[in-house]
Amino acid sequence: MTVPAVAVTAGLGIALAQGALAASFAVSGQQFKVSASSLEGEGFAQYGSVDVNARQELIPVAVTAIREAKLHSLCQSVVTSLPVIGDISLNLSAGRKAPVEASNLFVDATQLAGDAVFSNIEIGRDASTLDKGPADAQGMQDLFGQQADTVHITGLQQTAWATNAGTFKLTGLSMNVSKGKKECF
């Protein structure tokens, strides 16, 4: 029973070394939440992958990659529980008057919700052949992938381990640290 597990772990290690997996840095031990009233994106791709934390533990994720994205009323939150002090919340908001803009946006998520509309979507495409998202938005060969020319999501809610972007313009940025549990959703 341990032989298949060792083989899978070795395969994932090789894929990570070749850059086929999501992790471009060791992710923290905490997921964060992101919400937006709406997201409009051009060049959408999505595929399964694996992140790695500092303890070298593998974390399965769904990578959502968008070449150009605009987010309205963005909220990001993370809650840390500390001994004696209790919960501490870090909240970030932006894009209330003008949208947040991102290029080559990659989100390594474990949960995504909202109402979505895709144009020219391809579902079930081999993840290694995706070509509508950012240039590096491809997964491993033989794995499930999907892509679309555009995506529009209203009521976006997602839980993620990591976000990367070529550029990330946060109009009207506000950050707040407070005691207690204050999440975006």
Side-chain angles (χ1 to χ4, degrees):
M1 219 151 113
T2 60
V3 173
V6 170
V8 168
T9 302
L12 289 172
I14 291 167
L16 186 61
Q18 293 174 341
L21 298 182
S24 60
F25 54 86
V27 299
S28 74
Q30 297 177 278
Q31 293 189 76
F32 56 94
K33 292 185 175 184
V34 176
S35 66
S37 61
S38 67
L39 175 148
E40 294 125 27
E42 294 182 20
F44 168 86
Q46 191 173 56
Y47 52 93
S49 192
V50 178
D51 280 348
V52 178
N53 65 19
R55 295 182 184 154
Q56 300 302 306
E57 297 168 329
L58 303 176
I59 302 165
V61 296
V63 176
T64 299
I66 303 172
R67 198 170 55 253
E68 297 292 333
K70 290 184 179 181
L71 298 104
H72 298 269
S73 297
L74 175 74
C75 174
Q76 177 181 314
S77 64
V78 64
V79 177
T80 301
S81 295
L82 299 173
V84 181
I85 296 173
D87 291 336
I88 302 293
S89 296
L90 171 69
N91 291 81
L92 178 144
S93 64
R96 299 216 186 280
K97 292 181 182 175
V100 169
E101 298 177 12
S103 65
N104 297 321
L105 177 66
F106 288 79
V107 180
D108 300 355
T110 56
Q111 176 272 331
L112 172 69
D115 296 321
V117 177
F118 300 92
S119 66
N120 297 319
I121 192 164
E122 299 172 355
I123 301 171
R125 185 168 172 151
D126 187 296
S128 70
T129 68
L130 298 173
D131 59 7
K132 290 187 178 187
D136 297 330
Q138 293 181 329
M140 294 174 57
Q141 185 176 353
D142 297 328
L143 293 184
F144 176 88
Q146 55 188 7
Q147 64 179 5
D149 290 340
T150 64
V151 59
H152 181 84
I153 302 173
T154 56
L156 172 70
Q157 295 182 340
Q158 69 182 11
T159 306
W161 285 101
T163 296
N164 293 308
T167 60
F168 205 48
K169 180 181 173 186
L170 296 146
T171 305
L173 173 64
S174 174
M175 187 192 78
N176 184 28
V177 176
S178 59
K179 194 168 185 295
K181 190 172 190 175
K182 297 178 183 109
E183 297 180 290
C184 296
F185 61 93

